Amino acid sequence: VQLQASGGGLVQAGDSLRLSCEASGRTGSAQHMGWFRQAPGEEREFVAALGWTGGGRYYQDSLKGRFTIAIDNAKSTVDLKVVYLQMNNLQPEDTAVYYCAAARYIYNDYKTEHEYNYWGRGTLVTVSS
């Protein structure tokens, strides 16, 4: 599975941004897709995730209400899975590199990065105050 994240950039506090993650290759192994982020000097943390079937969506508690993860049905095909992360009312503390991740199975916890087998390179989001 190859993951390509895009959509990062420089925005001002209060702005919105939509990140996109495209999964190609053996997309059958990308049954669960999620986003993590890593701020400068910090450890990588869970942002949001979803199951490709079943409709389950999972969020870091502090981001609920501002961030939305969803399947991009307009762009997804049999050979390409696309999810987006809609981020609203961005704040400087949201500044980070955002990584897309995928897994065939989630055994215990969507929020644990070790559950994910595949990772994209990341896209930088910078929020100025």
Side-chain angles (χ1 to χ4, degrees):
V1 178
Q2 292 79 47
L3 299 176
Q4 179 66 51
S6 62
L10 173 64
V11 297
Q12 293 185 334
D15 286 350
S16 297
L17 205 58
R18 176 175 287 199
L19 305 182
S20 182
C21 176
E22 297 184 353
S24 59
R26 301 183 69 173
T27 56
S29 293
Q31 295 300 318
H32 308 273
M33 295 180 69
W35 291 92
F36 288 74
R37 69 183 183 183
Q38 187 168 20
E42 302 290 332
E43 293 187 352
R44 191 155 56 184
E45 65 175 0
F46 172 76
V47 174
L50 58 75
W52 198 258
T53 59
R57 299 182 188 182
Y58 309 88
Y59 296 94
Q60 184 192 112
D61 288 343
S62 65
L63 300 177
K64 288 180 181 177
R66 289 198 302 125
F67 287 21
T68 300
I69 186 171
I71 295 170
D72 192 330
N73 291 308
K75 295 182 179 179
S76 294
T77 67
V78 173
D79 300 318
L80 185 70
K81 290 184 173 178
V82 185
V83 299
Y84 65 81
L85 181 70
Q86 177 67 39
M87 305 183 294
N88 297 328
N89 190 25
L90 284 162
Q91 299 300 313
E93 54 265 34
D94 296 315
T95 294
V97 176
Y98 284 72
Y99 295 92
C100 177
R104 185 173 182 87
Y105 303 107
I106 295 292
Y107 293 99
N108 290 305
D109 187 357
Y110 270 94
K111 300 178 182 179
T112 303
E113 60 178 272
H114 293 148
E115 296 272 14
Y116 297 84
N117 311 102
Y118 309 100
W119 292 83
R121 284 190 172 183
T123 184
L124 176 63
V125 173
T126 304
V127 185
S128 64
S129 58

